[in-house]
């Protein structure tokens, strides 16, 4: 034996510590994974030992392995063991490991609550500190709720070290448990003026974080912060405050006006760049918020811009970066002040640092005007050519597109130039943004009608050189532009110069190497083109030409029919049949062109991105309702696919295009027109494509030939955008001359002014008329679109819950949950306790009367009042709580005396806590372990959260004890696991008369088994006084403790309440007899239990069994379970369909397991319990309850 | 809020990984790797801010880093933090390490990751800046070391294996000789290559 011990300690000496582990890993470079897995095995061995030092060492090593990416969640329990070590050294290791590896999903985390609470109240500040630090990393909603009050107490700790940590962690607590914000806020606010700078800084930190998310709730703090800003010398604090002001000013312009001056002073005086920068930033924010109201702050703007320029010109890249960043904020409201620094910004475009180039690019976005757009884009294009690295080049590409397309192409004066830029961009190799270019091409071609002809010519050139694009392989994003090119050429084929040529280009075999979705567009648009050519040929009377085109189609289409892409295949085979049919008709000399082109009649208009969302749901339509009841699982799996298949086969022959005769075609056309008419996204359908132009509304605005002839309408080959720059200059010059002439004709100019819409030209811009008078088609909205554009806030935003009004006075219901330190088990269980009926609404009157004269500072008073309200005295205290008992006794004696807030009597804590719990159960879905809590709340809301206004809800755990014309007594009996033979009886006395009831005394006749715990020195026969008087209509609660010997049997105690009823004239002596019924259920306490532990319990075999069955029950199973939970203090372990296992524990530690099954009309309850008598009595009681259902 | 603090060396080996938001271990490693590749590409004389992009949190987040000798110190922060302030905080952190380890170098971080964590815990807590005053931080660390030492000496007889090296003895020298380190004996004092930032300007913590 001795040898073994020696051996053990020698072994331990050779245990690796962290350093050895690290060294080992470094020495095993080749087989690191193997070595580590070996180490993990060793660690597992070490964790099994009892020596806490060894365990701590093992956990320390695990923390290192966690950093290397190994999952250590399996050791969570051992980590908790180390956390609970008494020595700081080990505790710290445990908390570090926990902070690295615990998270909300860690199931053992709930076991830490009491350990953390213990550490928080530890006399050593470092134990407390380490617990706070650890908790800050893994706080969960449950932990936050249970510990909020403890942490709040620590905010007034004597040591600033603890105070600052407690203040900081409150932010995490708020996030997880938003209810704590309002009760904690006053103290947090106090800490803003803490004498210790660290604490102050922490408080500023927390409030800034809070205010950043929901600024409007913190506006009232502005004066305080203002004071801090002007007095504080701590730059950290100043930076935070100044940042906070930046968030507040948009909400309160007056604040901004006040801020300008001190901020300007700071800007001038500070030497810290970080502070300077934040000041500038906030001044910018202020100016933005003021920009509408007060225009006269040019001096401040100048100052900002000037300081920023200094930053940008600095050699320090960081300052340069930040300067550009801040500049971009000014840009939004004061573009002109920034535009004057264009040189500097363009210079930054050449910087070697990519971050800086990107920031400069951002700035460019706001610097363009009609005048300089071409010039800037030209510069960017040269950068595109020079750029190494595709990321930056892609960024440039997107920026060019952004700049040009911003605010509805506001700055583009010449769309031909833009199209050529887009076409030039297609020559970029390896860009990912082909789809962006494509989207722009489509957008411009669709929305700018005047440009279509030019666009089509360019696109056909692109299609012609498609091999260049497609050849650089498919993964190349640039081939996306062919999608746009094909579509534009097809849709606007009437503008094509050589449609036949384009048609051939689109039917080249090479096309089949393109991605499927592009081929599909090709196929579709080939037909459009074909229809167009057919029409032209027929009008010209070239029947042979028409047939030749048809033949071309018939020859080339099969290559698409073989495509592996379903979409391509389907479209191609459809169209091939159609073309073959046309060929037949052509052979009979039937004119078909008209028919074919009507296939594509009608115009596509752009649809606003939000249009779909804005279609209102018609009245009476419930989108969530089932149209057909869903089939049961087994059926649907087998039958559905078959049904679908079957249907398809039936349909197919009918729809085959080969059989589609003219009638069919006409019918489909009609249907399509009909559909278009009904479809909100098609505005109008015009009879024929030729007419479209004249009919479309807004077209008369387009002076078709105002296009300068200087701009070539047809550019051979791919255009060079550069030429436009020169042309543009010439054009502008000419325009100037023309303008002088035009000046005489005022009217025309006015008309022109009307024409331009959706643009806000600056003065200089007005001089430049666009080359094309462009009518940009606006996006469409459904006719009856919902008008308001709601701010879609993400409902999952965790900060949303913190949007809480902090200025409202605290309601009593908002106090933080306070826990009895001895209440360990119940605190762990989120399951509701026995609800306590609150009678707050009635009490305050009395309380105020009592304490009117007391002078307190606000907070203490509130606390106090709260305490008084809940004060229920006369609990004779159990032996082992003497500490608390003494405090309490004192409280009772001089209960008006101010007392330390921290020493609240445990009972109060408990009550508050319970109430809090009720509220939570009422309002919140609890974790998955306790599904019932919320179900119950949903099912029978009255049961749990007894609303404060109602004196006694119909479903209360309080049962009627006795009543007469003076008084009504109701009581509730609760056991707690800590006191194994004691139960607390809470008796509510309600005064129903118009007299004051006083001198109330309660005398109970003890039995052998149950005794009332009386104050020391009083005999068995003395009555116990009720510690309050009852004015008319008021009710209050008193609690008494009873000691029970055996709990296996229910029992009754007789008692009498005697009191003096006094009204204006007379005082009478009255009494009321009652019987206290201690049911077996009242000895049970709700205790959660996991299914695995539950299973073990059942397997253990030392439980006796019994069962009952009750018939004629209609209540839903859920409500039934809720009832059992409520009346008999059980918790649901697991529920499957109409079967549930439940668990509870008696105060003396008997396990009670139930299996509840619901049949058609009956419920059977099988019970297992360590005591058979208890079980049978319980089941009898349960039967009685169930029978009432 | 600070979202994450990463320290890795020039080869991307993590030396300290501290996330203030839960990520599974493999994602953490991936973030470290990607961050490393992002900063590795950057010269020492370009700006110390990086848009983190999709790495952590999204567009509101920035990577702010500093490169000291063989180590990168990377802070991932959101827009509520002052960029220059965080740069300064990194400096405070490294200088604190320097004081606690006496001429800190990579090996100290390698072998005493736990201690580095304890120091960091006095600077940043739960993602928020706790203390920026270096003297205060060092004082707290030293007090905790004394506490640990007193406990350890009591412990000594019961568990000899554990106490081979206490913090105080854990100087660099003990380990340099014993191991073949990645930096092949070329372990440089971190602060020796302090980047030429204008620290005096950035010092935000001067009263």
């Amino acid at each position: 034996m001795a040898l073994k011990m020696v051996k053990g300690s020698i072994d331990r000496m050779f245990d690796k510590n962290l350093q050895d582990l690290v060294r080992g890993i470094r020495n095993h470079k080749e087989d690191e994974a193997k070595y580590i897995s070996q180490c993990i095995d060793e660690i597992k061995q070490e964790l099994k030992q009892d020596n806490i030092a060894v365990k701590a060492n093992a956990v320390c090593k695990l923390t290192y392995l966690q950093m290397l990416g190994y999952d250590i969640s399996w050791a969570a329990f051992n980590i908790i063991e180390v956390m609970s070590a008494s020595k700081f050294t080990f505790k710290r290791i445990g908390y570090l490991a926990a902070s690295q590896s615990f998270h909300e999903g860690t199931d053992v985390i709930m076991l830490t609550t009491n350990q953390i609470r213990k550490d928080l109240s530890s006399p050593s500040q470092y134990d407390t500190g380490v617990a706070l630090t650890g908790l800050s990393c893994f706080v969960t909603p449950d932990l936050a709720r249970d510990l909020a009050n403890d942490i709040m107490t620590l905010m007034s700790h004597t040591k600033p070290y603890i105070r600052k940590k407690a203040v900081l962690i409150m932010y995490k607590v708020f996030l997880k448990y938003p209810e704590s914000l309002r009760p904690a806020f006053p103290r947090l606010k106090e800490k803003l003026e803490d004498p210790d700078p660290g604490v102050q800084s922490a408080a500023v930190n927390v409030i800034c974080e809070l205010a950043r998310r929901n600024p409007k709730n913190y506006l009232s703090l502005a004066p305080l912060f203002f004071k801090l800003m002007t007095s504080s010398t701590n730059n950290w604090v100043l930076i935070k405050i100044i940042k906070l002001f930046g968030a507040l000013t948009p909400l309160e312009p007056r604040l901004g006006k006040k801020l300008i001056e001190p901020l300007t002073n700071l800007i001038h005086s500070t030497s810290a760049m970080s502070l300077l920068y934040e000041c500038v930033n906030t001044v910018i924010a202020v100016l933005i918020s003021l920009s509408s109201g007060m225009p006269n702050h040019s001096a401040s703007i100048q100052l900002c811009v000037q300081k920023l320029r200094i930053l940008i010109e600095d050699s320090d890249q960081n300052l340069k970066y930040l300067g550009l960043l801040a500049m971009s904020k000014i840009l939004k409201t004061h573009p002109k002040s920034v535009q004057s620094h264009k040189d500097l910004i363009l210079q930054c475009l050449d910087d070697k640092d990519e971050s800086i180039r990107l920031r400069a690019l951002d700035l460019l976005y706001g610097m363009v005007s009609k005048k300089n757009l071409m010039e800037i884009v030209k510069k960017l294009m040269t950068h595109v050519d020079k750029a190494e690295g595709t990321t930056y080049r892609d960024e440039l590409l997107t920026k060019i597109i952004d700049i040009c397309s911003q605010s509805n192409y506001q700055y583009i004066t010449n769309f031909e130039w833009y199209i050529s830029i887009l076409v030039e961009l297609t020559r970029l190799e390896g860009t990912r943004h082909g789809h962006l270019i494509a989207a722009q091409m489509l957008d411009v071609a669709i929305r700018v009608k005047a440009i279509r002809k030019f666009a089509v010519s360019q696109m056909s050139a692109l299609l012609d050189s498609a091999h260049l694009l497609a050849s650089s392989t498919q993964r190349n994003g640039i081939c996306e532009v062919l999608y746009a090119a094909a579509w534009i050429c097809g849709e606007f084929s009437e503008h094509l110069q050589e449609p036949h040529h384009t048609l051939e280009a689109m039917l080249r075999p090479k096309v089949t190497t393109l991605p499927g979705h592009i081929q599909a567009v090709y196929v579709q648009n080939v037909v459009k083109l074909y229809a167009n050519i057919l029409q032209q040929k027929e009008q010209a009377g070239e029947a042979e030409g028409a047939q030749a085109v048809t033949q071309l189609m018939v020859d080339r289409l099969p290559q698409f029919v073989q495509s592996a892409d379903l979409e391509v295949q389907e479209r191609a085979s459809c169209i091939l049949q159609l073309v073959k049919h046309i060929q037949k008709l052509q052979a009979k000399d039937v004119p078909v062109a008209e028919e074919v082109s009507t296939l594509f009649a009608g115009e596509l208009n752009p649809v606003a991105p939000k249009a779909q969302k804005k279609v209102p749901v018609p009245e009476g339509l419930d989108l969530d309702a089932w149209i057909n009841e869903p089939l049961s699982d087994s059926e649907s799996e087998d039958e559905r696919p078959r049904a679908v298949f079957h249907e398809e086969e039936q349909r197919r022959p009918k729809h085959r295009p080969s059989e589609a005769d003219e009638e069919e075609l006409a019918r489909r056309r009609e249907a399509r027109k009909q559909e278009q008419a009904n479809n909100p996204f098609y505005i109008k359908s015009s009879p024929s494509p030729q007419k479209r132009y004249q009919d479309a509304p807004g077209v008369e605005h387009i002076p078709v030939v105002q296009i300068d002839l200087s701009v070539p309408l047809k550019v051979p080959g791919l255009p060079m955008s550069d030429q436009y720059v020169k042309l543009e200059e010439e054009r502008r010059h000419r325009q100037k001359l023309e303008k002088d002439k035009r000046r005489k004709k005022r009217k025309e100019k006015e008309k022109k002014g009307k024409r331009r819409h959706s643009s806000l030209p600056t003065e200089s811009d007005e001089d430049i008329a666009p080359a094309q008078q462009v009518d940009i088609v606006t996006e469409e909205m459904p006719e009856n679109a919902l008008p308001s554009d709601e701010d879609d806030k993400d409902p999952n935003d965790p900060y949303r819950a913190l949007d809480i009004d902090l200025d409202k006075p605290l309601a009593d219901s908002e106090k933080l949950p306070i826990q009895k330190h001895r209440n360990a088990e119940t605190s762990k269980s989120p399951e509701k306790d026995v609800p306590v009926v609150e009678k707050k609404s009635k009490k305050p009157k009395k309380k105020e009367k009592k304490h009117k004269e007391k002078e307190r500072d606000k907070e203490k008073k509130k606390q106090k009042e709260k305490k008084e309200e809940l004060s229920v005295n006369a609990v004779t205290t159990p032996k082992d709580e003497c500490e608390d008992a003494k405090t309490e006794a004192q409280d009772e004696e001089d209960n008006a005396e101010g007392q330390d807030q921290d020493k609240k009597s445990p009972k109060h804590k408990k009550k508050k806590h319970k109430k809090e719990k009720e509220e939570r159960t009422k309002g919140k879905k609890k974790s998955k372990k306790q599904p019932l809590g919320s179900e119950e709340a949903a099912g029978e809301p009255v049961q749990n959260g007894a609303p404060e206004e109602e004196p006694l809800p119909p479903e209360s755990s309080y049962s009627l004890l006795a009543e007469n014309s003076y008084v009504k007594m109701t009581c509730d009996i609760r056991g707690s696991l800590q006191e194994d033979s004691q139960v607390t009886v809470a008796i509510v006395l309600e005064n129903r008369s118009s007299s004051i009831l006083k001198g109330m005394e309660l005398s109970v006749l003890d039995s052998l088994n149950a005794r009332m715990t009386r104050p020391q020195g009083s005999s068995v026969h003395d009555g116990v006084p009720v510690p309050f008087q009852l004015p008319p209509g008021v009710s209050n609660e008193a609690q008494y403790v009873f000691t029970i010997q055996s709990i296996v049997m229910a029992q009754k105690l007789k008692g009498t309440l005697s009191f003096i009823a006094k009204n204006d004239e007379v005082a009478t002596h009255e009494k009321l007899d009652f019987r206290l019924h201690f049911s077996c259920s009242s000895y049970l306490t709700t205790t959660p239990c996991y299914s695995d532990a539950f299973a073990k319990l059942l397997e253990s075999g030392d439980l006796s069994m019994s069962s009952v069955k009750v018939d004629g029950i209609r209540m839903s199973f859920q409500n039934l379970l809720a009832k059992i939970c409520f009346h008999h203090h059980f918790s649901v372990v697991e529920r499957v369909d109409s079967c549930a296992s439940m668990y509870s524990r008696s105060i003396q530690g008997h396990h009670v397991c139930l299996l509840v099954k619901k049949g058609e009309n009956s419920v059977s309850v099988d019970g297992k319990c360590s005591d058979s008598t208890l079980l049978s009595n319980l089941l009898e009681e349960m039967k009685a309850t169930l029978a009432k259902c | 809020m600070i979202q994450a603090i990463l320290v890795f060396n020039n080869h991307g080996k993590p030396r300290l990984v501290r996330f203030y938001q839960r990520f599974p271990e493999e994602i953490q490693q991936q973030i470290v790797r990607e961050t490393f590749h992002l900063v590795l590409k950057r010269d020492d004389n370009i700006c110390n801010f990086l848009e983190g992009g999709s790495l952590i949190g999204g567009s509101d987040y920035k990577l702010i880093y500093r490169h000291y000798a063989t180590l990168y110190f990377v802070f991932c922060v959101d827009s509520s933090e002052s960029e220059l302030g965080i740069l300064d905080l990194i400096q405070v952190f490294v200088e604190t390490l320097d004081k606690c380890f006496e001429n800190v170098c990579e090996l100290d971080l390698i072998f005493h990751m736990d201690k580095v964590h304890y120091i960091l815990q006095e600077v940043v807590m739960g993602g928020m800046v706790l203390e920026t005053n270096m003297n205060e931080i060092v004082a707290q660390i030293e007090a905790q070391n004394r506490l640990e030492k007193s406990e350890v000496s009591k412990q000594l007889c019961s568990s000899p294996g554990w106490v081979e090296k206490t913090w105080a003895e854990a100087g660099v020298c003990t380990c340099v000789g014993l191991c073949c380190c990645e930096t092949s004996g070329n372990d440089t004092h971190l602060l020796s290559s302090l980047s030429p930032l204008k620290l005096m300007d950035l010092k935000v913590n001067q009263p």
Side-chain angles (χ1 to χ4, degrees), chain A residues 1146-1170:
Chain A
S1146 79
I1147 54 172
Q1148 292 181 349
H1150 302 95
H1151 300 285
V1152 190
C1153 308
L1154 292 185
L1155 181 66
V1156 185
K1157 276 188 251 174
K1158 182 161 164 51
E1160 194 71 357
N1161 258 331
S1162 67
V1163 173
S1164 70
V1165 182
D1166 297 320
K1168 278 195 171 186
C1169 175
S1170 28

Side-chain angles (χ1 to χ4, degrees), chain A residues 9 12-13 15 17-20 22-23 26-27 29 32 51-54 56-57 60 63-64 66-72 86-90 92-93 96 99-103 124-127 130 132-133 136-137 161 164-166 168-169 171-172 175 198 201-202 205-206 209 212-213 233-236 239-240 243 271-275 277-278 314 316-319 321-322 325 352-356 359 799, chain B residues 1 13-20 22 25-26 28-29 42-43 45-51 60-62 78-89 107 110-115 117-118 121-122 124-132 136 139-141 143-145 147-149 151-152 154-155 158-162 164-165 167 170 174-175 178-183 197-198 200-207:
Chain A
S9 71
R12 226 176 298 131
M13 247 162 74
D15 279 348
N17 65 11
L18 175 63
Q19 280 77 37
D20 299 323
V22 175
R23 205 168 293 136
R26 289 155 71 87
N27 286 335
K29 283 247 168 60
E32 192 181 297
N51 191 325
I52 191 73
V54 177
N57 185 34
C60 185
T63 312
Y64 183 81
Q66 194 272 344
M67 181 183 77
L68 298 184
Y70 290 84
D71 178 26
I72 61 164
S86 56
K87 287 204 163 49
F88 170 73
T89 318
F90 305 142
R92 184 158 73 160
I93 292 172
L96 175 62
S99 72
Q100 289 288 74
S101 65
F102 284 11
H103 52 92
S124 156
Q125 62 165 330
Y126 292 111
D127 282 355
V130 104
L132 284 172
T133 309
S136 72
C137 294
Y161 178 74
K164 70 183 179 194
K165 287 196 169 193
L168 267 196
I169 203 181
Y171 178 64
K172 294 282 182 163
L175 277 184
S201 156
N205 221 333
V206 170
E209 275 302 329
R212 196 166 72 95
R213 307 293 180 173
T233 50
N234 181 337
N235 284 358
W236 271 100
I239 287 178
K240 281 282 173 192
K243 263 183 162 305
S271 64
M273 278 299 187
S274 44
L275 185 57
Y277 172 67
E278 295 305 337
D314 198 287
D316 186 335
Q317 298 285 320
N318 291 325
L319 299 181
Y321 174 89
L322 293 175
L325 198 64
K352 60 185 183 307
D353 187 345
E354 196 173 293
S355 307
I356 286 178
R359 286 279 79 82
Y799 306 106
Chain B
M1 285 277 283
K13 289 258 181 203
R15 295 301 175 216
L16 178 100
V17 177
R18 171 78 270 193
F19 282 88
Y20 293 103
R22 168 70 191 166
E25 275 76 12
E26 60 268 36
Q28 292 188 0
Q29 293 299 308
R42 299 172 65 85
D43 288 339
N45 56 353
I46 62 178
C47 78
N48 299 34
F49 314 118
L50 253 175
E51 254 102 304
D60 196 31
Y61 288 89
K62 268 201 190 80
D78 68 12
S79 59
S80 72
E81 299 293 341
S82 149
E83 291 88 346
L84 294 172
I86 292 293
L87 269 185
D88 205 48
L89 186 72
L107 281 169
I110 295 175
F111 285 102
H112 302 284
M113 180 208 71
D114 48 343
K115 272 115 201 167
H117 266 295
Y118 300 144
Q121 281 176 355
E122 296 301 323
V124 178
M125 182 175 132
M128 282 183 289
V129 180
L130 178 67
E131 184 60 72
T132 52
E136 169 74 13
Q140 297 298 349
I141 291 287
Q144 291 180 43
N145 288 347
L147 178 59
E148 187 179 354
K149 218 174 169 183
E151 283 181 359
V152 159
K154 273 184 237 158
Q155 180 84 15
S158 65
S159 165
W162 160 247
E164 267 174 35
K165 280 178 218 94
W167 175 304
T174 43
C175 18
L178 293 170
C179 61
C180 55
C181 60
E182 277 121 303
T183 41
L197 269 161
K198 283 180 286 182
M200 290 320 289
D201 279 354
L202 300 180
K203 266 276 177 267
V204 282
N205 202 30
Q206 284 161 349

Side-chain angles (χ1 to χ4, degrees), chain A residues 960-978:
Chain A
L960 183 66
L961 206 54
E963 59 184 326
N964 62 15
S965 55
Y966 288 101
V967 70
K968 179 180 173 187
M969 298 171 74
T970 48
C971 83
D972 179 35
I973 303 171
R974 306 167 200 134
S976 88
L977 279 177
Q978 279 71 33

Side-chain angles (χ1 to χ4, degrees), chain A residues 643-822:
Chain A
V644 168
F645 198 57
H646 188 58
E647 227 175 316
E648 244 176 13
E649 274 191 333
Q650 275 187 334
R651 220 184 270 154
R652 208 162 252 168
K654 257 193 245 165
H655 287 267
R656 270 282 177 239
S658 56
E659 296 194 10
D661 51 3
E662 229 177 354
E663 205 185 303
E664 174 71 24
L665 272 178
R667 202 168 56 88
R668 269 196 262 165
R669 238 179 357 252
E670 203 48 50
R672 184 175 147 163
K673 268 186 201 161
Q674 194 65 40
E675 193 195 36
Q676 281 180 8
N678 293 336
N679 189 336
F681 303 126
Y682 280 96
I683 307 202
K684 57 239 155 189
S685 65
S686 38
S688 81
Q690 285 90 340
K691 274 186 176 176
R692 229 191 281 165
Y693 228 101
Q694 286 81 40
D695 286 353
V699 163
E700 60 271 16
H701 294 315
I702 306 177
V704 179
V705 196
Q706 266 188 26
I707 297 172
D708 288 35
L709 284 173
S710 60
V711 184
L713 288 176
K714 184 194 162 199
V715 183
L718 294 176
M720 284 302 294
S721 55
D722 285 357
Q723 67 198 55
Y724 288 99
V725 182
K726 216 186 281 169
L727 286 171
E728 184 71 14
E729 269 159 28
E730 287 171 25
R731 193 178 66 85
R732 276 182 201 169
H733 178 69
R734 244 194 343 272
Q735 238 171 17
K736 227 176 191 178
L737 297 178
E738 264 176 50
K739 218 173 105 186
D740 295 336
K741 288 184 213 161
R742 249 189 284 166
R743 212 164 261 166
K744 295 163 197 164
K745 301 178 182 177
R746 261 266 156 94
K747 274 183 194 172
E748 233 182 64
K749 205 183 170 190
E750 276 170 19
K751 200 172 148 196
K752 188 180 132 201
K754 273 181 208 162
R755 221 178 281 147
R756 297 209 40 88
H757 64 112
S758 73
S759 66
L760 300 162
T762 54
E763 277 184 2
S764 62
D765 281 351
E766 251 178 345
D767 294 341
I768 309 161
Q772 290 98 350
Q773 286 297 336
V774 177
D775 189 23
I776 295 178
V777 182
T778 45
E779 292 159 331
E780 301 196 344
M781 283 295 208
E783 276 162 41
N784 39 2
L786 302 167
S788 73
D789 210 11
E790 283 142 42
D791 226 9
D792 348 27
K793 254 194 173 177
D794 182 6
N796 296 327
D797 183 5
Y799 306 106
R800 210 182 171 190
L802 288 181
D803 191 357
I804 294 167
D805 184 359
L806 294 161
D807 298 331
K808 261 193 323 203
L810 267 183
D812 291 324
S813 57
E814 284 181 300
K815 295 285 183 192
L816 285 176
I818 306 170
Q819 274 178 313
K820 249 179 169 175
H821 69 274
R822 62 184 171 87

